[in-house]
């Protein structure tokens, strides 16, 4: 019974964290908000939830690390594929069959990329999602029973069917209320991360990020402002941000480098001034290639720049103290920063905490490394400590 309850807890934690991990988090409040946002389009929300459940269940049944499962590492890429799948295609028998196949395929990609990238201390980010969604989109033309969805094309008809004229009037008021182009594009970009192309989704996600982390929230705005300014300064077509919803690449890059994989500091913020133009360069160049292939670019620029930059940092000979990689991930920029400051103040060390024996005074080692009796295999590096009296003997009976 206890084992069943534990398995259920792992599955439920992994499911909710699959949503939060999209923003590098394990915060339950953010997870619930993102789950709700995903169901603004019911079909997308349902297929995303199914894909996340399938991946987490597969990880548990196949015996993969429960810590990674609970943190949502094995589910968020499949979740994103499911969201895109549900938004693009009509529901039916073929839909659910192919959704299961796509979710499992993305899960296998996740495991494979984890094994490869973790050897170098690098994240695989959303590369499994990219491969999964691209393969789905390229193969979909061959499945005659998988019809393309028309949802989102005649949006007012859909709103009227749900809530009548009152709902249409409410949505129109909300749309007019948020009128500034920069804010609209920022919110549309946030919503697009969960395949929800509307202002309400973006606003709810922004609130969720703010509740989870003020640093992450400010970084999302800071990164988008830098990208917006670069588009203006260079004369690039800024309208692309409005109709292609690719602005989330700049938001995710800013959060990832500014405060998650790097300890938040003025140096991490300054480096974004150089890194975000790189993301824009990669985005504008790859858009031409992917338009020819008739595939969405999605989060590819974010993945390319972030993984490349983190790899560059890994091979530094002298890491230094200005741009500091997060030594132990606590899934919160604030917690990561607090832990670093604590280590510096208490142990005068950024990365390592000094380890000493858990005893005070003089003790005797009765059996050391690779001992003859029990120190074998994974216990070979153990030490057995005993305390001796003045007569150099151990305590026995009443003496």
């Amino acid at each position: 019974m206890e084992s069943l309850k534990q398995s259920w807890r792992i599955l439920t934690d992994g499911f909710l964290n699959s949503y939060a991990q999209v923003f590098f988090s394990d915060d339950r409040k953010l997870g619930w908000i993102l789950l709700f946002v995903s169901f603004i389009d019911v079909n997308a929300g349902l297929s995303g939830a199914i894909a996340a459940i399938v991946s987490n269940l597969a990880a548990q049944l196949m015996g993969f690390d429960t810590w990674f499962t609970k943190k949502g590492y094995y589910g968020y890429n499949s979740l994103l594929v499911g969201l895109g799948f549900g938004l693009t295609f009509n529901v039916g028998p073929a839909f659910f069959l192919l959704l299961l196949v796509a979710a499992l395929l993305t899960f296998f990609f996740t495991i494979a990329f984890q094994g490869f990238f973790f050897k170098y201390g690098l994240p695989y980010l959303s590369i499994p999602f990219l491969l999964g969604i691209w393969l789905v989109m390229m193969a979909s033309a061959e499945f005659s029973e998988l019809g393309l969805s028309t949802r989102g094309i005649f949006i007012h008809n859909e709103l009227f069917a749900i809530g009548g004229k009152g709902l249409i009037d409410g949505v129109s008021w909300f749309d007019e209320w948020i009128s500034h182009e920069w804010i609209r594009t920022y919110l549309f970009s946030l919503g697009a991360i969960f395949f929800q192309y509307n202002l309400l989704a973006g606003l709810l996600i922004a609130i969720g990020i703010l509740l989870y982390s003020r640093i992450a929230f400010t970084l999302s705005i800071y990164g988008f402002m830098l990208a917006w300014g670069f588009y203006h300064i260079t004369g690039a077509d800024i309208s692309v941000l409005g109709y292609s919803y690719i602005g989330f690449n700049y938001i995710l890059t800013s959060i990832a480098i500014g405060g998650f994989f790097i300890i938040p500091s003025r140096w991490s913020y300054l480096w974004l001034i150089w890194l975000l133009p790189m993301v824009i360069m990669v985005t504008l160049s790859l858009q031409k290639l992917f338009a020819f292939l008739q595939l969405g670019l999605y989060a590819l620029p974010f993945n390319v720049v972030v993984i490349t930059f983190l790899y560059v940092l890994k091979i530094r000979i002298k890491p230094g103290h200005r741009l500091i990689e997060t030594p132990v991930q606590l899934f919160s920029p604030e917690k990561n920063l607090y832990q670093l400051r604590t280590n510096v103040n208490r142990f005068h060390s950024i990365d390592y905490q000094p380890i000493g024996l858990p005893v005070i005074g003089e003790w005797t080692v009765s059996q050391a490394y690779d001992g003859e009796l029990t120190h074998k295999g994974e216990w070979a590096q153990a030490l057995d400590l005993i305390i001796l009296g003045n007569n150099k003997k151990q305590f026995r009976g009443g003496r």
Side-chain angles (χ1 to χ4, degrees), residues 225-356:
M225 285 177 59
L226 288 176
W228 186 272
F230 187 83
Y231 270 87
H232 274 290
I233 293 171
T234 60
D237 184 8
I238 203 166
S239 65
V240 172
L241 288 175
Y243 67 77
S244 64
Y245 308 111
I246 56 171
F248 60 80
N249 280 282
Y250 315 125
I251 294 171
L252 292 175
T253 299
S254 186
I255 296 174
I257 297 298
F260 185 76
F261 295 110
I262 305 295
I263 298 294
S265 68
R266 65 177 181 272
W267 296 105
S268 67
Y269 278 64
L270 286 171
W271 263 100
L272 288 172
I273 297 175
W274 299 106
L275 289 175
L276 286 168
M278 296 179 192
V279 180
I280 295 172
M281 191 81 72
V282 172
T283 301
L284 296 178
S285 58
L286 289 181
Q287 274 182 325
K288 299 182 181 297
L289 173 62
F290 277 75
F292 175 77
L293 296 174
Q294 296 183 334
L295 289 174
L297 194 59
Y298 302 115
L300 180 59
F302 150 69
N303 281 267
V304 169
V305 173
V306 170
I307 292 175
T308 301
F309 184 64
L310 291 177
Y311 180 71
V312 168
L313 295 182
K314 291 290 182 186
I315 59 177
R316 291 181 294 175
I317 297 176
K318 296 181 179 179
H321 296 275
R322 292 181 176 177
L323 205 60
I324 305 171
E325 298 171 71
T326 304
V328 178
Q329 190 53 255
L330 300 178
F331 301 97
S332 165
E334 284 83 357
K335 291 179 181 178
N336 291 340
L337 179 59
Y338 176 77
Q339 183 192 50
L340 175 80
R341 290 177 174 174
T342 300
N343 286 350
V344 170
N345 291 334
R346 293 182 61 191
F347 307 111
H348 307 289
S349 171
I350 293 175
D351 299 316
Y352 304 105
Q353 298 181 8
I355 297 176

Side-chain angles (χ1 to χ4, degrees), residues 75-96:
Y76 74 89
N77 277 287
S78 295
L79 163 68
L80 292 172
V81 170
L83 291 172
F85 198 88
L87 190 71
T88 307
F89 303 107
N90 287 323
V91 173
F95 173 92
F96 287 108

